[in-house]
Amino acid sequence: VTCFWTAAWSTWLIGSMSAHVPERLLELGVTLSHVVLSMVFLGAAVGKLTPGYWNGDVLHGIYFESRNFWFFNLARSMLGEGELVPFARWYSRGVLGMELLCSLIWLMPQRVGSLVALATLIGITVFSNPYLISVVGCLMGLSLVGILVPPPSGADSVRV
């Protein structure tokens, strides 16, 4: 899904190159990249709006019980089972909260929205699973659009 929407954005950009003034195309490109990022994060959050994610059972079972990854190994070594379940609950709620926040990227100032998205995507890879880079890598590229493209004259104002 993430590759599809990134490819759709890239196809739009290529197809629009002759139809727009370069500065306007870049401004539209940033806006559309933020809409795509927001939509993907909203889809991820809506998929997690279940009792199993809210109470942490899903992520506890997937990650905290036995996943051999530095963050979960550290959590297991520092917390007993009685503390690990509540930690997994708050971790799960934090993931859901970040995804809901990131669904609002399209409303944020250009660089702020891009930095929030990029930091969240890096965090997903660093704190959940390095193999997720295959999923979030293309979204990181879309995040970079808002960082690398100069803000429009109007000094990085909020888009509505």
PDB file of all heavy atoms in Angstrom, residues 91-109:
ATOM      1  N   TYR A  91       2.607   1.454  25.352  1.00  0.00           N
ATOM      2  CA  TYR A  91       3.343   1.463  24.077  1.00  0.00           C
ATOM      3  C   TYR A  91       2.339   1.421  22.926  1.00  0.00           C
ATOM      4  O   TYR A  91       2.443   2.191  21.967  1.00  0.00           O
ATOM      5  CB  TYR A  91       4.293   0.263  24.040  1.00  0.00           C
ATOM      6  CG  TYR A  91       5.130   0.152  22.792  1.00  0.00           C
ATOM      7  CD1 TYR A  91       6.366   0.772  22.699  1.00  0.00           C
ATOM      8  CD2 TYR A  91       4.697  -0.605  21.699  1.00  0.00           C
ATOM      9  CE1 TYR A  91       7.151   0.657  21.566  1.00  0.00           C
ATOM     10  CE2 TYR A  91       5.471  -0.733  20.556  1.00  0.00           C
ATOM     11  CZ  TYR A  91       6.692  -0.102  20.489  1.00  0.00           C
ATOM     12  OH  TYR A  91       7.461  -0.218  19.359  1.00  0.00           O
ATOM     13  N   SER A  92       1.378   0.524  23.015  1.00  0.00           N
ATOM     14  CA  SER A  92       0.362   0.380  21.982  1.00  0.00           C
ATOM     15  C   SER A  92      -0.455   1.657  21.829  1.00  0.00           C
ATOM     16  O   SER A  92      -0.719   2.120  20.714  1.00  0.00           O
ATOM     17  CB  SER A  92      -0.546  -0.813  22.315  1.00  0.00           C
ATOM     18  OG  SER A  92      -1.432  -1.084  21.262  1.00  0.00           O
ATOM     19  N   ARG A  93      -0.845   2.254  22.945  1.00  0.00           N
ATOM     20  CA  ARG A  93      -1.595   3.508  22.899  1.00  0.00           C
ATOM     21  C   ARG A  93      -0.743   4.641  22.337  1.00  0.00           C
ATOM     22  O   ARG A  93      -1.243   5.522  21.631  1.00  0.00           O
ATOM     23  CB  ARG A  93      -2.112   3.863  24.286  1.00  0.00           C
ATOM     24  CG  ARG A  93      -3.211   2.927  24.750  1.00  0.00           C
ATOM     25  CD  ARG A  93      -3.662   3.211  26.153  1.00  0.00           C
ATOM     26  NE  ARG A  93      -4.672   2.240  26.562  1.00  0.00           N
ATOM     27  CZ  ARG A  93      -5.251   2.239  27.742  1.00  0.00           C
ATOM     28  NH1 ARG A  93      -4.930   3.149  28.658  1.00  0.00           N
ATOM     29  NH2 ARG A  93      -6.159   1.326  28.035  1.00  0.00           N
ATOM     30  N   GLY A  94       0.555   4.617  22.630  1.00  0.00           N
ATOM     31  CA  GLY A  94       1.455   5.614  22.062  1.00  0.00           C
ATOM     32  C   GLY A  94       1.566   5.484  20.553  1.00  0.00           C
ATOM     33  O   GLY A  94       1.575   6.482  19.826  1.00  0.00           O
ATOM     34  N   VAL A  95       1.635   4.245  20.082  1.00  0.00           N
ATOM     35  CA  VAL A  95       1.674   3.999  18.635  1.00  0.00           C
ATOM     36  C   VAL A  95       0.400   4.546  17.998  1.00  0.00           C
ATOM     37  O   VAL A  95       0.450   5.259  16.983  1.00  0.00           O
ATOM     38  CB  VAL A  95       1.842   2.486  18.339  1.00  0.00           C
ATOM     39  CG1 VAL A  95       1.575   2.180  16.884  1.00  0.00           C
ATOM     40  CG2 VAL A  95       3.240   2.021  18.749  1.00  0.00           C
ATOM     41  N   LEU A  96      -0.729   4.222  18.568  1.00  0.00           N
ATOM     42  CA  LEU A  96      -2.009   4.695  18.047  1.00  0.00           C
ATOM     43  C   LEU A  96      -2.077   6.220  18.076  1.00  0.00           C
ATOM     44  O   LEU A  96      -2.504   6.857  17.096  1.00  0.00           O
ATOM     45  CB  LEU A  96      -3.156   4.085  18.862  1.00  0.00           C
ATOM     46  CG  LEU A  96      -4.565   4.486  18.464  1.00  0.00           C
ATOM     47  CD1 LEU A  96      -4.866   4.116  17.023  1.00  0.00           C
ATOM     48  CD2 LEU A  96      -5.562   3.824  19.393  1.00  0.00           C
ATOM     49  N   GLY A  97      -1.630   6.821  19.165  1.00  0.00           N
ATOM     50  CA  GLY A  97      -1.630   8.277  19.275  1.00  0.00           C
ATOM     51  C   GLY A  97      -0.742   8.944  18.237  1.00  0.00           C
ATOM     52  O   GLY A  97      -1.130   9.955  17.633  1.00  0.00           O
ATOM     53  N   MET A  98       0.442   8.386  18.020  1.00  0.00           N
ATOM     54  CA  MET A  98       1.346   8.956  17.010  1.00  0.00           C
ATOM     55  C   MET A  98       0.753   8.835  15.616  1.00  0.00           C
ATOM     56  O   MET A  98       0.870   9.757  14.803  1.00  0.00           O
ATOM     57  CB  MET A  98       2.721   8.285  17.053  1.00  0.00           C
ATOM     58  CG  MET A  98       3.627   8.789  18.152  1.00  0.00           C
ATOM     59  SD  MET A  98       3.884  10.583  18.161  1.00  0.00           S
ATOM     60  CE  MET A  98       4.643  10.877  16.585  1.00  0.00           C
ATOM     61  N   GLU A  99       0.115   7.701  15.333  1.00  0.00           N
ATOM     62  CA  GLU A  99      -0.497   7.531  14.018  1.00  0.00           C
ATOM     63  C   GLU A  99      -1.654   8.512  13.830  1.00  0.00           C
ATOM     64  O   GLU A  99      -1.819   9.069  12.745  1.00  0.00           O
ATOM     65  CB  GLU A  99      -0.940   6.088  13.809  1.00  0.00           C
ATOM     66  CG  GLU A  99       0.242   5.157  13.624  1.00  0.00           C
ATOM     67  CD  GLU A  99      -0.121   3.689  13.558  1.00  0.00           C
ATOM     68  OE1 GLU A  99      -1.262   3.318  13.945  1.00  0.00           O
ATOM     69  OE2 GLU A  99       0.733   2.898  13.109  1.00  0.00           O
ATOM     70  N   LEU A 100      -2.434   8.735  14.872  1.00  0.00           N
ATOM     71  CA  LEU A 100      -3.518   9.720  14.777  1.00  0.00           C
ATOM     72  C   LEU A 100      -2.959  11.130  14.606  1.00  0.00           C
ATOM     73  O   LEU A 100      -3.467  11.913  13.796  1.00  0.00           O
ATOM     74  CB  LEU A 100      -4.427   9.635  15.997  1.00  0.00           C
ATOM     75  CG  LEU A 100      -5.329   8.404  16.046  1.00  0.00           C
ATOM     76  CD1 LEU A 100      -6.033   8.299  17.402  1.00  0.00           C
ATOM     77  CD2 LEU A 100      -6.351   8.414  14.910  1.00  0.00           C
ATOM     78  N   LEU A 101      -1.892  11.460  15.346  1.00  0.00           N
ATOM     79  CA  LEU A 101      -1.240  12.760  15.165  1.00  0.00           C
ATOM     80  C   LEU A 101      -0.738  12.909  13.732  1.00  0.00           C
ATOM     81  O   LEU A 101      -0.929  13.940  13.097  1.00  0.00           O
ATOM     82  CB  LEU A 101      -0.079  12.920  16.157  1.00  0.00           C
ATOM     83  CG  LEU A 101       0.792  14.163  15.951  1.00  0.00           C
ATOM     84  CD1 LEU A 101       0.022  15.438  16.290  1.00  0.00           C
ATOM     85  CD2 LEU A 101       2.066  14.070  16.770  1.00  0.00           C
ATOM     86  N   CYS A 102      -0.105  11.873  13.227  1.00  0.00           N
ATOM     87  CA  CYS A 102       0.451  11.932  11.869  1.00  0.00           C
ATOM     88  C   CYS A 102      -0.629  11.970  10.793  1.00  0.00           C
ATOM     89  O   CYS A 102      -0.354  12.365   9.663  1.00  0.00           O
ATOM     90  CB  CYS A 102       1.407  10.767  11.634  1.00  0.00           C
ATOM     91  SG  CYS A 102       2.959  10.955  12.521  1.00  0.00           S
ATOM     92  N   SER A 103      -1.851  11.578  11.138  1.00  0.00           N
ATOM     93  CA  SER A 103      -2.930  11.706  10.158  1.00  0.00           C
ATOM     94  C   SER A 103      -3.295  13.171   9.937  1.00  0.00           C
ATOM     95  O   SER A 103      -4.019  13.500   8.998  1.00  0.00           O
ATOM     96  CB  SER A 103      -4.154  10.896  10.592  1.00  0.00           C
ATOM     97  OG  SER A 103      -4.793  11.497  11.698  1.00  0.00           O
ATOM     98  N   LEU A 104      -2.774  14.049  10.772  1.00  0.00           N
ATOM     99  CA  LEU A 104      -3.020  15.493  10.642  1.00  0.00           C
ATOM    100  C   LEU A 104      -1.860  16.236   9.981  1.00  0.00           C
ATOM    101  O   LEU A 104      -1.855  17.472   9.964  1.00  0.00           O
ATOM    102  CB  LEU A 104      -3.301  16.089  12.021  1.00  0.00           C
ATOM    103  CG  LEU A 104      -4.503  15.495  12.766  1.00  0.00           C
ATOM    104  CD1 LEU A 104      -4.593  16.070  14.168  1.00  0.00           C
ATOM    105  CD2 LEU A 104      -5.782  15.726  11.984  1.00  0.00           C
ATOM    106  N   ILE A 105      -0.906  15.499   9.449  1.00  0.00           N
ATOM    107  CA  ILE A 105       0.267  16.131   8.828  1.00  0.00           C
ATOM    108  C   ILE A 105      -0.143  17.107   7.729  1.00  0.00           C
ATOM    109  O   ILE A 105       0.478  18.151   7.566  1.00  0.00           O
ATOM    110  CB  ILE A 105       1.233  15.050   8.294  1.00  0.00           C
ATOM    111  CG1 ILE A 105       1.936  14.388   9.467  1.00  0.00           C
ATOM    112  CG2 ILE A 105       2.217  15.601   7.285  1.00  0.00           C
ATOM    113  CD1 ILE A 105       2.703  13.142   9.098  1.00  0.00           C
ATOM    114  N   TRP A 106      -1.187  16.803   7.007  1.00  0.00           N
ATOM    115  CA  TRP A 106      -1.608  17.677   5.910  1.00  0.00           C
ATOM    116  C   TRP A 106      -2.041  19.062   6.396  1.00  0.00           C
ATOM    117  O   TRP A 106      -2.083  20.013   5.618  1.00  0.00           O
ATOM    118  CB  TRP A 106      -2.708  17.013   5.084  1.00  0.00           C
ATOM    119  CG  TRP A 106      -4.015  16.876   5.809  1.00  0.00           C
ATOM    120  CD1 TRP A 106      -4.359  15.937   6.736  1.00  0.00           C
ATOM    121  CD2 TRP A 106      -5.156  17.718   5.664  1.00  0.00           C
ATOM    122  NE1 TRP A 106      -5.639  16.139   7.170  1.00  0.00           N
ATOM    123  CE2 TRP A 106      -6.161  17.222   6.532  1.00  0.00           C
ATOM    124  CE3 TRP A 106      -5.435  18.839   4.884  1.00  0.00           C
ATOM    125  CZ2 TRP A 106      -7.410  17.810   6.637  1.00  0.00           C
ATOM    126  CZ3 TRP A 106      -6.695  19.420   4.992  1.00  0.00           C
ATOM    127  CH2 TRP A 106      -7.659  18.899   5.858  1.00  0.00           C
ATOM    128  N   LEU A 107      -2.313  19.195   7.700  1.00  0.00           N
ATOM    129  CA  LEU A 107      -2.690  20.492   8.267  1.00  0.00           C
ATOM    130  C   LEU A 107      -1.501  21.236   8.871  1.00  0.00           C
ATOM    131  O   LEU A 107      -1.636  22.407   9.229  1.00  0.00           O
ATOM    132  CB  LEU A 107      -3.751  20.299   9.354  1.00  0.00           C
ATOM    133  CG  LEU A 107      -5.100  19.774   8.894  1.00  0.00           C
ATOM    134  CD1 LEU A 107      -5.980  19.468  10.095  1.00  0.00           C
ATOM    135  CD2 LEU A 107      -5.770  20.767   7.957  1.00  0.00           C
ATOM    136  N   MET A 108      -0.385  20.569   9.021  1.00  0.00           N
ATOM    137  CA  MET A 108       0.778  21.164   9.690  1.00  0.00           C
ATOM    138  C   MET A 108       1.598  21.991   8.711  1.00  0.00           C
ATOM    139  O   MET A 108       1.551  21.777   7.503  1.00  0.00           O
ATOM    140  CB  MET A 108       1.662  20.051  10.271  1.00  0.00           C
ATOM    141  CG  MET A 108       1.005  19.238  11.348  1.00  0.00           C
ATOM    142  SD  MET A 108       2.124  17.911  11.898  1.00  0.00           S
ATOM    143  CE  MET A 108       1.018  16.949  12.898  1.00  0.00           C
ATOM    144  N   PRO A 109       2.394  22.920   9.249  1.00  0.00           N
ATOM    145  CA  PRO A 109       3.335  23.636   8.379  1.00  0.00           C
ATOM    146  C   PRO A 109       4.253  22.635   7.665  1.00  0.00           C
ATOM    147  O   PRO A 109       4.530  21.547   8.183  1.00  0.00           O
ATOM    148  CB  PRO A 109       4.131  24.513   9.344  1.00  0.00           C
ATOM    149  CG  PRO A 109       3.250  24.669  10.534  1.00  0.00           C
ATOM    150  CD  PRO A 109       2.475  23.386  10.634  1.00  0.00           C
TER     151      PRO A 109
END
